[in-house]
């Protein structure tokens, strides 16, 4: 019995081509009964089944065919995917197996490549983006035999693992970022590609011309492979990043909100002799109290304002004409430096929320694979517009809100400051933005800003939260004010960064089945081509469904490794049956459908009286019955009596006595009640909006020492 995913009308044909034996397919009896198709389906040996009401007799008929030694293929989802992802695996095949007399086997499979074809439910835009001349890259991965006692949950888990192999095979055939971008530019032509809050509006062609011009400067002026950037999310920032890609160099976007020491460490690790920036941007940072003069004392800062003045208009005009007239193949030869796709396209220094930042190396293959994975599940539309407000030094900001719109051909609107709620609201309304990504912290700001009207967010189709746990009160406040659901996702810089996301539920109007895409409290199912394992953190033995343990992430988007740190890379990348898995450091559990729930970081557990206490659980319990205006962070401090004690920092008004009563009334372990409570002006944050746990711990120690 063959069991796998179902994304198009021609899955059966492709599966038959790939299978050396004749396959008999169970199919909808209404389609089977059509006079002009019935003769063909009978010739193929298809088995008619009432998909809306599968009878016991139908299942017995399928079992008899299997007992006759024939191959039968079933699609356990029962209907075609509405979002390119796996739906619920029905248990009907389990009944079929239980009625077979022979010792049959199950062979799981995963098909990749037909989502985005005209035979699928994908958007018109995705069909256009995925079409490449007359050819389409199709990959079918078959798994090891499984016993007929295998259940739906086990088969679906195996199909997820097969998707990793299928997508890796596909990813190895993808172009580099630069080549893929030129194909998109030739398709879009003079259509708007980039808009920013300064008023700049650039077509796809003019954006490419600007990048080509700057790439020549970068190629001549940078002998090393790595190119430093310190720029906001803007048209200039986009052009500089893409110019670096065209030049065959590696982008290193520096975190301007990081400490002086962290920035110096990043510059030294990446061996940056030059950093491209902007006078206007550095001046704005100084106004915010961020003076980088001392940081860049030994670095040659190149200002884009000066560079662009040196590029003659005549050169720009000639390049624009060439971009308009020459085919993509010639433009790639002229303007894209050939690189190995396994070369690092970008080095992103991790947030440093729990320690020293690490340089995460992401290859062209990593990024291209993740862009397609995300675009597929979002089912991007021709009318989509993405809000680029997350900083370019953040993995999400660089890939999902910069590379994705450029390479997938979606309009991009840039706004330099993700905390500027009113400015973002105005940009969304003015440009009819349909997709916005942010952190729980930023969505709190948008909900609390009284000047931000709900009508400003009226055009949004997708609101995606990531990077940190989505606070329930923030989610409720945002959805109540704007009437837009926040879809929570999950990933790390090391996964380029998206690993999973919740999606809207979809209704199949023919079968009236609902494809569940969201489960409250989870971060969704892994993206197509991605898989999760929950293992014991000590033995790495995979845990049964519902078991709580270390989250391992597999997929084509797993990083190359850490810059100049092979030892640390070996600590977080584990080879299992020939596949690379990333050890996330997060504790979680999977349900029977493959939805992931994050419990906490292993580093965010405190040991009190011999028990492991989740700091995130403490924060949730503190806020459960109190004002969403309050922000809190719990930290664990060494305690000679208990091992560790809990200190709570809070921003806003909070009555510790009332909170204690509330926590105990909730049934919380008394050990979870913080030992000390300190009110602070602001909870320490990173530039990405995430809580800075290292700085929070230092602040707690300072307050303890101050008495």
């Amino acid at each position: 019995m063959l069991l796998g995913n179902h994304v198009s009308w021609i899955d059966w044909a492709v599966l038959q081509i790939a299978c050396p034996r004749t396959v008999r397919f169970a199919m909808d009896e209404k389609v089977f009964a059509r006079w002009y198709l019935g003769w063909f389906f009978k010739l193929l040996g298809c088995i008619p089944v009432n998909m809306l009401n599968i009878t016991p007799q139908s299942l017995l008929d399928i079992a008899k065919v299997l007992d006759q030694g024939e191959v039968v293929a079933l699609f356990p989802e029962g209907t075609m995917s509405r979002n390119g992802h796996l739906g619920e695996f029905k248990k009907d095949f389990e009944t079929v197996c239980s009625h077979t007399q022979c010792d049959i086997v199950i062979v799981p499979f995963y098909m990749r490549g037909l989502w985005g074809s005209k035979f699928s439910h994908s958007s018109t835009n995705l069909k256009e983006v995925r079409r490449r001349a007359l050819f389409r890259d199709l990959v079918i991965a078959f798994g090891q035999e499984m016993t007929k006692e295998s259940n739906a949950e086990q088969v679906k888990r195996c199909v997820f693992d097969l998707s990793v192999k299928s997508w890796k095979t596909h990813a190895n055939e993808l172009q580099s970022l630069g080549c893929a971008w030129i194909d998109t530019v030739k398709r879009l032509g003079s259509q708007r590609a980039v808009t920013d809050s300064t008023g700049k509006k650039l077509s796809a062609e003019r954006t490419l011309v600007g990048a080509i011009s700057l790439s020549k400067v970068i190629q001549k002026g940078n002998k090393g492979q790595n190119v430093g950037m310190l720029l906001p999310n803007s048209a200039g920032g986009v052009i500089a990043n893409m110019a670096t890609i065209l030049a065959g160099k590696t982008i290193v976007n520096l975190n301007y909100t990081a400490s002086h020491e962290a920035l110096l460490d990043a510059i030294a690790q990446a061996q940056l002799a030059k950093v491209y920036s902007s006078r206007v941007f550095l001046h704005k940072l100084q106004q915010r109290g961020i003076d980088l003069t001392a940081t860049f004392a030994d670095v040659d800062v190149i200002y884009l304002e000066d560079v662009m003045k040196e590029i003659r208009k005549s050169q720009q005009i000639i390049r624009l004409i060439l971009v308009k007239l020459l085919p993509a193949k010639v433009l790639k030869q002229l303007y894209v430096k050939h690189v190995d796709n396994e070369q690092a396209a970008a080095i992103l220094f991790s947030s440093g929320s729990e320690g020293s930042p690490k340089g995460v190396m992401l290859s062209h293959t990593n990024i291209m694979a993740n862009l397609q994975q995300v675009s597929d599940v979002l089912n991007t539309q021709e009318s989509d517009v993405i809000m680029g407000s997350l900083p370019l030094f953040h993995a999400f900001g660089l890939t999902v809100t910069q590379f994705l719109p450029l390479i997938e051909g979606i309009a991009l609107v840039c706004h330099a400051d993700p905390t500027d709620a009113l400015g973002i609201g105005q940009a969304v309304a003015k440009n009819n933005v349909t997709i916005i990504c942010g952190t729980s912290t930023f969505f709190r700001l948008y909900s609390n800003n009284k000047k931000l009207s709900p009508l400003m967010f009226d055009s949004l189709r997708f609101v995606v939260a990531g990077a940190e746990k989505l606070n329930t009160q923030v989610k409720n406040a945002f959805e109540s004010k704007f009437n837009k659901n926040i879809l929570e996702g999950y990933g790390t810089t090391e996964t380029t960064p998206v690993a999973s996301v919740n999606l809207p539920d979809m209704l199949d109007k023919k079968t009236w089945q609902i494809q569940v895409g969201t489960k409250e409290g989870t971060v969704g199912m892994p993206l197509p081509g991605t898989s999760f394992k929950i293992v014991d953190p000590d033995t790495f033995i995979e845990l049964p469904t519902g078991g709580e343990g270390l989250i391992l992430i597999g997929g084509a988007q797993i990083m190359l490794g850490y810059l100049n740190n092979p030892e640390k890379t070996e600590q977080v990348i584990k080879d299992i049956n020939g596949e690379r898995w990333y050890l996330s450091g997060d504790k979680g559990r999977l349900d029977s459908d493959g939805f992931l729930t994050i419990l906490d970081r292993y580093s965010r557990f405190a040991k009190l009286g011999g028990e492991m206490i989740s700091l995130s659980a403490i924060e949730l319990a503190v806020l459960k019955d109190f004002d969403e205006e309050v922000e809190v962070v719990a930290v664990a401090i060494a305690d000679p009596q208990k091992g560790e004690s809990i200190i709570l920092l809070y921003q806003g008004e909070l009555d510790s006595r009332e909170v204690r009563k509330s926590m105990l009334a909730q049934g919380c372990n008394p050990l979870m009640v913080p030992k000390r409570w300190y009110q602070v002006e602001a909870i320490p944050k990173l530039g990405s909006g995430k809580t800075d746990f290292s700085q929070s711990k230092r602040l707690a120690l300072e307050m303890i020492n101050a008495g």
Side-chain angles (χ1 to χ4, degrees):
M1 179 182 287
L2 300 177
L3 299 173
N5 62 322
H6 190 20
V7 294
S8 79
W9 299 108
I10 61 170
D11 287 346
W12 62 273
V14 175
L15 187 60
Q16 179 62 86
I17 291 169
C19 185
R21 295 176 59 187
T22 300
V23 181
R24 297 189 64 178
F25 294 87
M27 67 176 301
D28 190 340
E29 63 181 12
K30 290 184 179 179
V31 178
F32 185 90
R34 292 175 183 172
W35 65 268
Y36 54 91
L37 292 175
W39 65 272
F40 179 64
F41 293 136
K42 288 178 182 178
L43 187 66
L44 291 175
C46 293
I47 307 167
V49 174
N50 185 339
M51 293 299 182
L52 293 177
N53 183 24
I54 299 178
T55 63
Q57 185 58 49
S58 297
L59 301 179
L60 284 171
D61 290 343
I62 297 172
K64 289 177 182 178
V65 173
L66 286 164
D67 282 333
Q68 292 168 8
E70 299 193 62
V71 178
V72 173
L74 298 177
F75 298 108
E77 295 163 281
T79 186
M80 279 172 52
S81 175
R82 310 295 298 192
N83 58 16
H85 213 345
L86 292 177
E88 177 191 357
F89 271 30
K90 310 297 183 186
K91 298 181 181 294
D92 296 315
F93 77 85
E94 296 178 17
T95 305
V96 171
C97 290
S98 68
H99 284 97
T100 56
Q101 304 300 314
C102 298
D103 190 20
I104 70 162
V105 295
I106 292 170
V107 177
F109 67 86
Y110 180 86
M111 289 194 285
R112 198 229 70 82
L114 288 171
W115 179 253
S117 73
K118 62 182 179 181
F119 304 105
S120 68
H121 286 306
S122 64
S123 66
T124 303
N125 179 70
L126 209 57
K127 290 181 173 71
E128 182 66 23
V129 171
R130 294 289 177 265
R131 182 175 62 83
R132 195 166 67 192
L134 300 176
F135 303 96
R136 177 173 291 275
D137 183 16
L138 304 180
V139 183
I140 302 182
F142 292 95
Q144 295 293 320
E145 295 177 358
M146 303 177 71
T147 66
K148 69 178 186 180
E149 288 76 28
S150 302
N151 59 35
E153 176 193 327
Q154 292 168 330
V155 174
K156 187 175 184 181
R157 188 74 54 82
C158 187
V159 172
F160 270 125
D161 289 348
L162 288 172
S163 79
V164 173
K165 294 183 178 181
S166 181
W167 271 82
K168 280 188 176 179
T169 302
H170 167 65
N172 290 333
E173 300 298 321
L174 294 174
Q175 301 182 86
S176 67
L177 289 163
C179 290
W181 185 38
I182 284 181
D183 282 339
T184 301
V185 171
K186 290 300 293 181
R187 178 169 60 85
L188 296 180
S190 60
Q191 291 183 42
R192 182 184 61 151
V194 181
T195 303
D196 72 15
S197 296
T198 65
K200 288 184 180 178
K201 294 182 179 181
L202 298 174
S203 68
E205 291 171 337
R206 289 188 178 277
T207 306
L208 176 57
V209 169
I212 289 171
S213 300
L214 185 55
S215 73
K216 301 298 182 183
V217 176
I218 290 173
Q219 278 183 311
K220 291 179 181 178
N222 291 265
K223 294 181 180 179
Q225 176 61 29
N226 301 333
V227 178
M229 298 279 170
L230 196 136
L231 292 163
N233 201 327
S234 61
V238 168
I239 288 173
N241 274 264
M242 297 311 297
T244 306
I245 292 295
L246 296 180
K249 303 289 186 179
T250 301
I251 305 166
V252 183
N253 280 298
L254 297 172
N255 183 350
Y256 43 82
T257 67
S259 66
H260 172 72
E261 292 75 16
L263 272 171
L264 288 179
D265 186 46
I267 291 168
Q269 283 191 55
Q271 298 180 328
L272 301 178
K274 295 182 179 180
V275 172
Y276 290 81
S277 190
S278 159
R279 280 196 175 88
V280 173
F281 181 57
L282 290 177
H283 178 66
K284 287 184 177 179
L285 288 180
Q286 284 184 329
Q287 291 178 326
R288 290 171 52 186
I290 302 174
D291 189 346
L292 301 175
T293 305
T295 305
F296 292 147
D298 298 323
V299 176
D300 186 10
V301 180
I302 311 296
Y303 299 104
L304 289 187
E305 294 94 336
D306 298 341
V307 172
M308 299 311 290
K309 286 179 182 177
E310 293 175 3
I311 299 172
R312 295 194 299 271
K313 287 188 177 181
S314 58
Q315 290 178 317
Q316 299 277 59
I317 293 171
I318 292 170
R319 285 169 181 152
L320 180 59
I321 293 171
L322 292 176
V323 166
K324 285 180 175 290
L325 298 180
L326 295 178
K329 185 176 181 180
V330 177
L331 290 174
K332 293 173 191 177
Q333 293 173 341
L334 286 175
Y335 298 126
V336 183
K337 179 74 173 177
H338 176 73
V339 295
D340 183 343
N341 281 6
E342 290 305 311
Q343 172 184 305
I347 297 173
L348 290 163
F349 283 88
S350 60
S351 63
S353 60
E354 297 169 356
S356 299
K358 300 177 291 291
V360 178
M361 298 186 292
L362 303 177
S363 69
H364 287 260
T365 301
N366 291 151
I367 297 172
M368 284 293 295
N370 203 223
L371 300 187
Q372 286 201 7
Q373 290 170 322
V374 173
S375 183
D376 277 4
V377 295
L378 293 181
N379 201 17
T380 50
Q381 313 287 324
E382 188 175 1
S383 58
D384 274 336
V385 180
I386 288 183
M387 185 76 229
S389 57
L390 295 174
L392 296 175
F393 59 74
H394 188 270
F396 217 105
L398 180 68
T399 59
V400 177
T401 61
Q402 180 193 258
F403 284 139
L404 187 146
L406 292 176
I407 290 170
E408 292 289 302
I410 303 168
L412 169 63
V413 176
C414 299
H415 193 81
D417 185 2
T419 66
D420 178 15
L422 181 59
I424 285 176
Q426 292 170 341
V428 168
K430 185 176 181 181
N431 298 282
N432 291 315
V433 170
T434 59
I435 301 173
I436 188 170
C437 305
T439 66
S440 182
T441 299
F442 296 151
F443 289 129
R444 181 194 297 273
L445 293 175
Y446 305 158
S447 300
N448 292 343
N449 192 297
K450 295 180 181 179
K451 294 182 179 179
L452 187 57
S453 166
L455 294 175
M456 292 180 177
F457 279 178
D458 190 53
S459 61
L460 291 177
R461 189 169 73 90
F462 279 112
V463 181
V464 182
E468 63 177 335
K469 176 70 177 175
L470 177 60
N471 184 287
T472 302
Q473 292 167 318
V474 171
K475 176 179 170 66
N476 293 339
F478 185 93
E479 293 177 353
S480 175
K481 179 175 181 178
F482 299 106
N483 196 28
K484 301 289 180 181
N485 292 330
I486 300 181
L487 301 171
E488 189 171 6
Y490 169 66
T492 68
T493 306
E494 290 84 350
T495 62
T496 315
V498 188
S500 70
V501 68
N502 279 294
L503 299 168
D505 294 345
M506 303 293 288
L507 175 66
D508 188 320
K509 295 181 181 178
K510 291 185 177 179
T511 64
W512 299 109
Q513 292 187 35
I514 295 175
Q515 183 171 350
V516 177
T518 296
K519 288 191 179 182
E520 289 294 326
T522 76
V523 292
M525 289 193 299
L527 295 180
T530 307
S531 188
F532 293 139
K533 289 184 186 296
I534 305 297
V535 302
D536 182 283
D538 299 317
T539 64
F540 291 100
I541 295 174
E542 190 166 2
L543 301 176
T545 299
E548 298 179 355
L550 176 65
I551 302 168
L552 270 57
I553 308 171
Q557 72 270 47
I558 302 303
M559 67 169 180
L560 293 174
Y562 293 122
L563 179 66
N564 305 325
N565 201 338
E567 296 83 8
K568 185 64 177 176
T569 301
E570 289 181 7
Q571 291 174 15
V572 300
I573 300 294
K574 187 173 181 63
D575 186 284
I576 301 177
N577 298 326
E579 295 291 338
R580 297 170 77 242
W581 293 81
Y582 170 64
L583 281 59
S584 67
D586 292 321
K587 185 176 183 179
R589 63 171 177 266
L590 288 169
D591 71 9
S592 58
D593 288 322
F595 283 79
L596 176 67
T597 299
I598 306 293
L599 300 174
D600 210 339
R601 293 285 293 170
Y602 271 98
S603 59
R604 295 211 71 223
F605 278 84
K607 192 167 186 179
L608 304 176
E611 293 190 42
M612 298 301 290
I613 303 295
S614 166
L615 298 177
S616 294
I618 292 172
E619 293 161 359
L620 290 173
V622 167
L623 293 174
K624 187 175 186 300
D625 296 323
F626 295 91
D627 193 350
E628 66 270 10
E629 297 278 343
V630 177
E631 285 193 68
V632 302
V633 59
V635 298
I637 303 296
D639 187 311
Q641 295 180 338
K642 294 184 178 180
E644 289 182 304
S645 61
I646 305 301
I647 310 300
L648 189 87
L649 304 181
Y650 63 94
Q651 175 186 335
E653 298 298 326
L654 200 65
D655 188 326
S656 60
R657 288 172 297 181
E658 291 299 320
V659 174
R660 284 189 180 94
K661 290 179 183 178
S662 171
M663 292 179 71
L664 294 174
Q666 294 171 44
C668 291
N669 185 330
L671 292 173
M672 294 175 66
V673 178
K675 182 178 181 179
R676 291 188 178 92
W677 308 64
Y678 293 108
Q679 186 176 28
V680 296
E681 290 185 11
I683 299 296
K685 300 285 184 182
L686 297 163
S688 62
K690 293 171 64 176
T691 299
D692 188 333
F693 297 116
S694 293
Q695 185 59 34
S696 296
K697 193 166 186 175
R698 284 194 289 269
L699 180 58
L701 287 170
E702 289 174 6
M703 302 198 79
I704 291 171
N705 293 332

